[in-house]
Amino acid sequence: MDADSLRCLLSGEYGLVEEALIKFNKQNSQVFNFLHFTSTGQWVLIWNKLFAYLADAGMPHRVACLMAIKVLSRDKTYLNDTVTVEQLDTLLQLAGIGAPDACEATQEVQVEALKCLSNMIFQSTKCQEMCLGNASTEGIIRRVKMYKEAPYGYDIKYFDMKLLFLLTAINCDIRAKVRDQLHGRVYLVETLYLFMSQAATFKEFSDKDLDLINEVLKVLFNLTVYTSDNLVPEEEEATQFHRLVSVLHDLFFYRTLNRDKIVSLHSNIVNLLTSVPVSCYVELVTPLNAKCDSPLGQGDDAMTIVPFEGKNMYVLQLLVEFLRKNFQKAEKKSDQYELLSPILTVLIKAIRADAINRRYVRSVILPPLRDVRDRPEIGKELRNYLCSVLTSPCTQIADLSAELLFVLCKENVGRMIKYTGYGNAAGLFANRGLLGGRTAKGSEQYSSDSEDSDTEEYKQLQHAINPVLGCYEPPKANPLEGMSDEQKEYEAMELVKLMDKLQRQGLIQPCKIGEDGRPQAVEHIMELQEEIPEQQRDHKRKT
C-alpha cells in the first residue's frame, strides 16, 4: 500500500477513506501474510483506525471497513496483543448477536461482521477466551430460536453456524455452555427439522439447503462428541438423543441433484451418529406401515422402502452402501482411518442395538457362502473388503472391522473362522482371549437358532476348505514323498535352524495359549510339549 493510499485511509475523511478501502481490499483479497505492515507497525495503526470508524454511527462505508478488518485478521502476528473487548463487542453488535437490542445493521453488514468474528476467533486465543464471557453464543442461539419467525437470509444462517462451529470446536468450556446452559442441542435439532419442513413437499434440498444443514450437523457433532459408549444418558438427555436420531433418520429420505452434496450430508450424519448412544439407534429403523417412515408424514416412494421382517431397512441399506463406497475410495492406506472409522463405528452400534438390524446387515455383508475358491480377502464384496483390512497396519480399522464381523457372526468363533479364515481372525481371537476355541463372553446374549444355511456349492467343497486360509485348497503332492528318512531328518533340522535363527534375532518368539486364551511366551521349547496331551484331549472332545 503506497503512502498516499495509507494517508487517505487514516485521514478520517470518509470520501477519501472509501476510495482507500476499496483499493486496499482489492489489492489484498488473496493476501494472508502482511509482513510489510506488521514489520513497520502499520498493521496495528490500520487495525485500530478501522475500529474507530466502525464506532462512529455516521460511518457510511461499514461493509468495506469490515472487509478490510477481515483481510487484516488473516495475519495473527499482532492480533492477540491488539484486539480488545470493545472491538469484539462492536463486531458482535454489528453481526446482530451482541446485546439483545434491535440490530439496525443491514444483512450485508451482519454477514461481513460474522466473517470477521470467524477469522478472529480462529486466529486468536484471546478472542476465544473473550467469547466465554461475552454475548456471542447467547446471541447466536437467540437468533437460531428466531429462524422460524424472522426472515433471515441464507448467508446470515450459514455464518451463524460457521461461527458456532468454531466456538464449540475450539473451546470445550464454550461447548459445555452451549450444550448445557443454552440448550443448543435442542434448538439445533429443531432447526434441522425446520429446514426439512421447508423442503418437505418434494423431499429435495437445494445446494444452499444442504450447505446449511451440513453446518448444523457439524455443530451438533461438537455438542455430542463427549458422549461415551458406556454412558447411559439421563432421561432428559435420552429424549434429546432419540429426537436427534429420529430427525437424522428422516434426513436420509431427502434427495438432491448434486451427488457430492448428498455424500457430504451422509458423511456428516455418520460422523454425528458415532457419538450417539447405542440405545437410541432404534430410531433408525421403523415399521413398514409407520408414518415416521415418511419424513413429515409424506408418502414413501418405492426406492425408499427396503422391507425386512416387517421393518423398513432403507437407512441401514444406505449406511451399508456408504461403507462399500468408502472402501472403494480408500485405496491408500493413509485414507483408511478417516474414511472407514466413522461408518464402521456406526454399523457396529446399529447391529448391537437390535437383533433385526444385525440380521439385515448380516444378510448383506455375510450372505451364505457360495464361491469359496478364493481367499476371503480377495474380491469386491463387502466381506472381502472387511477381511482385507483385518491384517491392516492401521490397527484401529483392523479392530473395528473385526468387531463388526464378529458381532455379525454372533460372536461365534467357529462362524467367524468360516467367513474370514483363522489367519485373518487370529488377531481378534488373541486380543479377546479366544484362542484354542474358547467361547466369547457375551455370546450368550444371542439367540441359539442358527442363521447359517450352507449352499450346495459350499457343501461340495467344504471337506477341502483350509480353515486357516478360509478357502478351498486343492489337493497337493506330498513334498516329502520319495525322500528317505535321512533326507527328511535333514530338512527338519534345517527348518529348526532357521526358526532358531529367527528367534535369536528377536523376529519370532515361541508361545503357548495361556489360561486367559491369549498368547503366552515360553522360556523353553520343552514347555510346548507339555501342551500336547491337553491339545489331544481337546481334539478328541471336539471330534
Side-chain angles (χ1 to χ4, degrees):
M1 192 175 195
D2 58 73
D4 287 341
S5 297
L6 179 61
R7 187 167 54 254
C8 290
L9 182 61
L10 302 175
S11 67
E13 297 181 23
Y14 289 148
L16 298 175
V17 169
E18 179 186 16
E19 186 178 341
L21 283 172
I22 293 171
K23 185 176 181 180
F24 176 86
N25 291 331
K26 185 176 181 180
Q27 288 179 343
N28 297 289
S29 61
Q30 300 301 316
V31 177
F32 291 84
N33 188 319
F34 292 93
L35 184 62
H36 53 294
F37 286 155
T38 55
S39 60
T40 59
Q42 292 178 347
W43 187 96
V44 175
L45 192 64
I46 297 171
W47 179 269
N48 288 330
K49 193 64 176 179
L50 291 173
F51 274 99
Y53 291 152
L54 287 179
D56 181 0
M59 167 65 172
H61 315 300
R62 284 185 170 180
V63 172
C65 191
L66 287 165
M67 290 175 68
I69 291 173
K70 177 184 67 180
V71 169
L72 283 175
S73 64
R74 296 171 184 164
D75 190 323
K76 60 182 179 181
T77 306
Y78 290 111
L79 191 55
N80 265 350
D81 297 332
T82 308
V83 69
T84 64
V85 172
E86 291 75 22
Q87 290 174 352
L88 204 62
D89 285 344
T90 297
L91 291 176
L92 291 175
Q93 206 62 33
L94 290 174
I97 54 175
D101 302 323
C103 178
E104 298 178 358
T106 64
Q107 290 208 13
E108 190 177 6
V109 169
Q110 291 182 53
V111 169
E112 286 303 321
L114 285 168
K115 291 178 182 178
C116 292
L117 286 166
S118 296
N119 272 12
M120 291 166 62
I121 289 166
F122 181 73
Q123 296 277 46
S124 167
T125 54
K126 185 178 178 181
C127 289
Q128 295 163 21
E129 292 167 1
M130 288 179 184
C131 287
L132 189 57
N134 64 24
S136 55
T137 50
E138 288 91 339
I140 296 174
I141 296 299
R142 183 173 64 248
R143 186 149 65 192
V144 166
K145 290 190 284 185
M146 296 169 60
Y147 281 172
K148 189 173 183 179
E149 289 79 19
Y152 292 111
Y154 161 80
D155 287 335
I156 286 182
K157 294 176 183 176
Y158 181 79
F159 286 102
D160 274 351
M161 292 301 110
K162 279 282 190 184
L163 182 57
L164 190 57
F165 171 77
L166 276 175
L167 289 167
T168 53
I170 291 172
N171 191 302
C172 59
D173 293 327
I174 293 177
R175 188 184 314 151
K177 177 183 176 182
V178 173
R179 182 186 63 234
D180 301 330
Q181 297 178 28
L182 302 178
H183 309 292
R185 190 160 54 202
V186 175
Y187 294 120
L188 289 172
V189 170
E190 294 312 310
T191 299
L192 281 180
Y193 187 78
L194 172 65
F195 294 158
M196 290 163 59
S197 64
Q198 292 169 348
T201 304
F202 300 104
K203 290 190 222 172
E204 188 169 311
F205 288 130
S206 67
D207 285 358
K208 285 188 173 183
D209 290 335
L210 279 176
D211 287 339
L212 264 178
I213 288 170
N214 280 326
E215 292 305 318
V216 176
L217 291 171
K218 291 175 186 177
V219 180
L220 280 168
F221 174 79
N222 288 346
L223 300 181
T224 58
V225 72
Y226 79 102
T227 308
S228 167
D229 283 342
N230 300 320
L231 183 66
V232 178
E234 299 290 338
E235 184 176 351
E236 181 181 352
E237 192 176 44
T239 302
Q240 293 177 16
F241 275 116
H242 277 282
R243 172 64 173 159
L244 169 61
V245 179
S246 177
V247 171
L248 295 181
H249 165 273
D250 290 354
L251 263 179
F252 277 111
F253 286 79
Y254 281 74
R255 298 180 294 267
T256 181
L257 298 177
N258 189 326
R259 289 297 307 162
D260 291 337
K261 295 286 186 183
I262 206 70
V263 169
S264 178
L265 173 67
H266 290 172
S267 180
N268 282 313
I269 293 175
V270 166
N271 288 340
L272 179 50
L273 283 171
T274 60
S275 55
V276 170
V278 173
S279 59
C280 302
Y281 271 66
V282 294
E283 302 292 343
L284 291 178
V285 174
T286 52
L288 277 173
N289 59 352
K291 289 184 179 180
C292 53
D293 266 354
S294 310
L296 306 168
Q298 303 297 317
D300 284 333
D301 57 45
M303 293 180 64
T304 61
I305 298 177
V306 181
F308 184 83
E309 297 184 16
K311 303 280 188 177
N312 187 0
M313 293 293 175
Y314 177 68
V315 171
L316 278 185
Q317 182 195 58
L318 288 180
L319 291 174
V320 171
E321 284 305 307
F322 188 83
L323 174 64
R324 187 191 305 275
K325 290 173 183 175
N326 278 17
F327 263 119
Q328 293 167 351
K329 291 179 188 175
E331 295 179 357
K332 297 180 181 178
K333 300 291 184 185
S334 57
D335 296 336
Q336 284 186 350
Y337 183 77
E338 182 179 349
L339 287 171
L340 300 177
S341 175
I343 183 59
L344 286 171
T345 301
V346 167
L347 283 173
I348 290 168
K349 286 186 169 187
I351 62 177
R352 285 194 179 279
D354 197 327
I356 193 173
N357 295 355
R358 177 180 54 77
R359 290 195 293 272
Y360 172 75
V361 175
R362 174 184 164 82
S363 71
V364 179
I365 295 180
L366 297 181
L369 292 174
R370 295 184 182 278
D371 185 3
V372 289
R373 294 182 181 275
D374 292 324
R375 293 190 178 195
E377 64 270 23
I378 297 175
K380 298 296 183 182
E381 298 301 323
L382 270 172
R383 177 177 75 101
N384 307 132
Y385 286 130
L386 287 164
C387 289
S388 70
V389 296
L390 290 178
T391 53
S392 169
C394 181
T395 55
Q396 298 97 325
I397 295 302
D399 292 343
L400 286 170
S401 298
E403 184 175 359
L404 176 63
L405 288 167
F406 198 44
V407 176
L408 290 177
C409 292
K410 301 205 296 193
E411 302 190 34
N412 181 290
V413 172
R415 192 173 292 144
M416 182 77 168
I417 293 172
K418 173 182 173 181
Y419 282 97
T420 68
Y422 190 90
N424 287 325
L428 170 77
F429 297 155
N431 291 336
R432 296 201 175 198
L434 300 176
L435 294 174
R438 286 167 171 77
T439 303
K441 292 180 180 178
S443 59
E444 64 278 358
Q445 66 181 295
Y446 303 103
S447 60
S448 58
D449 60 306
S450 174
E451 295 166 15
D452 282 329
S453 54
D454 293 336
T455 61
E456 289 301 320
E457 298 95 324
Y458 178 80
K459 290 177 181 178
Q460 289 174 5
L461 299 176
Q462 187 174 6
H463 66 283
I465 291 176
N466 184 331
V468 175
L469 299 178
C471 66
Y472 169 77
E473 191 172 39
K476 297 179 181 178
N478 185 352
L480 301 179
E481 189 174 350
M483 285 188 183
S484 65
D485 290 342
E486 290 79 8
Q487 287 175 312
K488 292 177 183 178
E489 185 176 346
Y490 172 79
E491 293 295 338
M493 290 308 299
E494 286 297 305
L495 182 60
V496 169
K497 290 176 184 177
L498 288 172
M499 293 176 66
D500 181 61
K501 182 179 178 181
L502 290 173
Q503 182 183 354
R504 283 188 282 105
Q505 291 176 343
L507 297 176
I508 64 171
Q509 185 174 15
C511 67
K512 62 180 181 179
I513 299 173
E515 293 182 2
D516 60 355
R518 292 181 171 84
Q520 182 179 330
V522 298
E523 298 296 330
H524 194 275
I525 198 72
M526 294 299 293
E527 291 183 50
L528 296 177
Q529 290 185 316
E530 299 171 3
E531 296 285 303
I532 294 176
E534 184 177 345
Q535 291 174 2
Q536 290 174 337
R537 286 194 299 271
D538 288 344
H539 180 71
K540 287 179 180 178
R541 282 199 299 269
K542 291 174 184 176
T543 56

